[in-house]
Amino acid sequence: MIYQGVYRTPSLWCRLHSTYVRKMRYLFKLKEDDGICRQAQNSGTFYLFHNLSPFVKKVGSKYLAPQISVAEMKSILGKFKQNEQMIEDSVLIGCSDECMAYFALDLGSLEKSVIESELRGSFTELRKAFFQLDGKDAPLLSSAQALLRWHDTHQYCSKTGQPTQKNLAGSKRVCHTNGIIYYPQMSPVVITLVSDGSRCLLARQASFPKGMYSALAGFCDVGETLEETVRREVAEEVGLEVESLWYSASQHWPFPNSSLMIACHALVQPQPTKISVNKLELEAAGWFSLEEIMEALRREPNPLKQEDGSFSLFLPPKWAIAHQLIQEWVKLQASSPA
Ligand SMILES: NC(=O)c1ccc[n+]([C@@H]2O[C@H](COP(=O)([O-])OP(=O)(O)OC[C@H]3O[C@@H](n4cnc5c(N)ncnc54)[C@H](O)[C@@H]3O)[C@@H](O)[C@H]2O)c1
Ligand SMILES: [Mg+2]
């Protein structure tokens, strides 16, 4: 009872809870209550997409993701003679410290160029814009795209074949024929930086930009623990046995679909450390010294052709969790006895 009373008295509510707790409780209510979510849509802001490409503005070498007001949204929909109810197709992706809700909406059914000239920006592939996005925009657009994609591909119940309906916030879809509730999914992926104590192991797939090497990554199989996935992937991809491992951090990753990247460090026995590369998975893999890694960290994350035609080693951009793993490994080397 006290709890409910507090909820209804905003000033007391604000005094009793930190900004973070207030935001989380507010988002929870929006996901649970379509009525409150509808009100939030009428005062919130919108990140726009067109067939899953986010709307961005280029400022110098950076991309910014503008938040479109509900008034602007209504004006755009009016220009296309679309019903304002289309706003309800949006999905909730967060809120400001003042509890103003952020939504994402895909306007793929409307003419792209008209929206672009109206709002003076462009719908740009997320892969192209991702690494030049502002620190706050990248995770928002990444989860927004993942959520919009999931709704687009889960329009029908896989049991009955009947249409499913999203709740206003987009945190679930329901098949009203049999009551099955579908929740957005993501695939767990481990990403592991293997070390032998003095060197670290990096690998590249043929699809990577020339010269880029990263930590080993792999999807979790059903039933596996994270530890089992790390051990299996290292054995599968480079033929080594992990001796010990520890968790570092995690990151949502939008490519090619929605993944939860779980980053770990792993140690293998110092001897033998001969790599046997699984050519079905990787183009190349190798051990790199601290000096080589430090030099690569100073380089821009772009292909750089050398005189002999080969490409200089470069590492994933700062945003990628692989980069953070490498930075941590460098710090660890500096702090551990020679
Ligand atoms: N954020 C980062 O720093 C970073 C760095 C490296 C890789 N990654 C990501 O890690 C992911 C996994 O790496 P990988 O490609 O080496 O994985 P992987 O070694 O498991 O090999 C990929 C193969 O696994 C199979 N697979 C099994 N489950 C799958 C699923 N749920 N979705 C798609 N394929 C599945 C497919 O056959 C696919 O070709 C990639 O999507 C990549 O974008 C992120
Ligand atoms: Mg892999």
Side-chain angles (χ1 to χ4, degrees), residues 189-190 205 215-219 233 236-237 281-282:
V189 172
V190 293
Q205 294 179 6
L216 299 176
F219 290 93
E233 282 292 333
E236 253 179 39
E237 298 197 345
E281 296 265 342
L282 300 174

Side-chain angles (χ1 to χ4, degrees), residues 1-30 36 95-99:
M1 285 304 283
I2 292 170
Y3 176 75
Q4 285 201 342
V6 169
Y7 241 137
R8 291 192 193 117
T9 320
S11 56
L12 181 58
W13 169 246
C14 290
R15 267 184 277 136
L16 284 180
H17 293 89
S18 71
T19 303
Y20 175 76
V21 170
R22 230 169 36 237
K23 280 171 67 174
M24 295 308 116
R25 291 285 175 89
Y26 179 61
L27 290 171
F28 175 79
K29 287 193 94 178
L30 297 189
I36 299 179
C95 72
S96 68
D97 285 353
E98 295 73 34
C99 290

Side-chain angles (χ1 to χ4, degrees), residues 60-71:
S61 62
K62 293 262 166 220
Y63 284 105
L64 298 180
Q67 295 180 34
I68 311 299
S69 69
V70 73

Side-chain angles (χ1 to χ4, degrees), residues 102-143:
Y102 306 146
F103 294 90
L105 179 62
D106 198 311
L107 296 178
S109 60
L110 308 182
E111 180 60 43
K112 189 164 83 163
S113 57
V114 177
I115 311 168
E116 288 179 330
S117 63
E118 187 72 23
L119 297 175
R120 292 186 295 277
S122 65
F123 291 102
T124 305
E125 243 192 281
L126 186 58
R127 246 181 215 285
K128 197 174 157 220
F130 196 65
F131 294 115
Q132 272 85 45
L133 277 168
D134 182 65
K136 139 185 109 45
D137 289 341
L140 267 184
L141 291 192
S142 141
S143 44

Side-chain angles (χ1 to χ4, degrees), residues 1-202:
M1 285 304 283
I2 292 170
Y3 176 75
Q4 285 201 342
V6 169
Y7 241 137
R8 291 192 193 117
T9 320
S11 56
L12 181 58
W13 169 246
C14 290
R15 267 184 277 136
L16 284 180
H17 293 89
S18 71
T19 303
Y20 175 76
V21 170
R22 230 169 36 237
K23 280 171 67 174
M24 295 308 116
R25 291 285 175 89
Y26 179 61
L27 290 171
F28 175 79
K29 287 193 94 178
L30 297 189
K31 287 184 233 166
E32 292 301 308
D33 189 323
D34 279 0
I36 299 179
C37 192
R38 190 169 285 112
Q39 282 172 21
Q41 277 171 339
N42 273 301
S43 56
T45 59
F46 295 79
Y47 288 88
L48 297 185
F49 285 75
H50 195 277
N51 292 328
L52 299 179
S53 290
F55 179 76
V56 290
K57 290 190 181 195
K58 195 142 199 223
V59 180
S61 62
K62 293 262 166 220
Y63 284 105
L64 298 180
Q67 295 180 34
I68 311 299
S69 69
V70 73
E72 282 175 295
M73 279 306 310
K74 287 182 178 172
S75 146
I76 293 166
L77 295 178
K79 284 212 163 64
F80 284 100
K81 302 201 171 23
Q82 291 289 322
N83 193 318
E84 287 180 5
Q85 232 187 339
M86 197 173 176
I87 287 177
E88 295 194 1
D89 292 342
S90 63
V91 294
L92 176 71
I93 53 169
C95 72
S96 68
D97 285 353
E98 295 73 34
C99 290
M100 183 182 67
Y102 306 146
F103 294 90
L105 179 62
D106 198 311
L107 296 178
S109 60
L110 308 182
E111 180 60 43
K112 189 164 83 163
S113 57
V114 177
I115 311 168
E116 288 179 330
S117 63
E118 187 72 23
L119 297 175
R120 292 186 295 277
S122 65
F123 291 102
T124 305
E125 243 192 281
L126 186 58
R127 246 181 215 285
K128 197 174 157 220
F130 196 65
F131 294 115
Q132 272 85 45
L133 277 168
D134 182 65
K136 139 185 109 45
D137 289 341
L140 267 184
L141 291 192
S142 141
S143 44
Q145 192 209 46
L147 202 50
L148 289 170
R149 179 187 283 113
W150 180 81
H151 281 285
D152 188 42
T153 52
H154 289 78
Q155 307 264 323
Y156 295 92
C157 174
S158 56
K159 180 87 176 158
T160 63
Q162 293 301 309
T164 54
Q165 197 187 354
K166 90 169 179 57
N167 66 339
L168 253 278
S171 56
K172 59 187 170 190
R173 298 189 74 88
V174 181
C175 170
H176 289 293
T177 311
N178 60 4
I180 295 181
I181 303 173
Y182 293 91
Y183 294 98
Q185 292 157 341
M186 53 185 176
S187 306
V189 172
V190 293
I191 176 152
T192 311
L193 187 62
V194 173
S195 170
D196 67 352
S198 62
R199 300 171 299 170
C200 73
L201 193 154
L202 300 177

Side-chain angles (χ1 to χ4, degrees), residues 248-286:
S248 165
S250 64
Q251 172 183 59
H252 177 258
W253 193 244
F255 313 118
N257 279 306
S258 190
S259 296
L260 176 65
M261 305 290 307
I262 302 141
C264 296
H265 290 276
L267 268 176
V268 292
Q269 294 265 7
Q271 292 299 331
T273 50
K274 192 166 161 22
I275 298 166
S276 110
V277 178
N278 181 343
K279 289 285 185 179
L280 286 176
E281 296 265 342
L282 300 174
E283 186 182 75

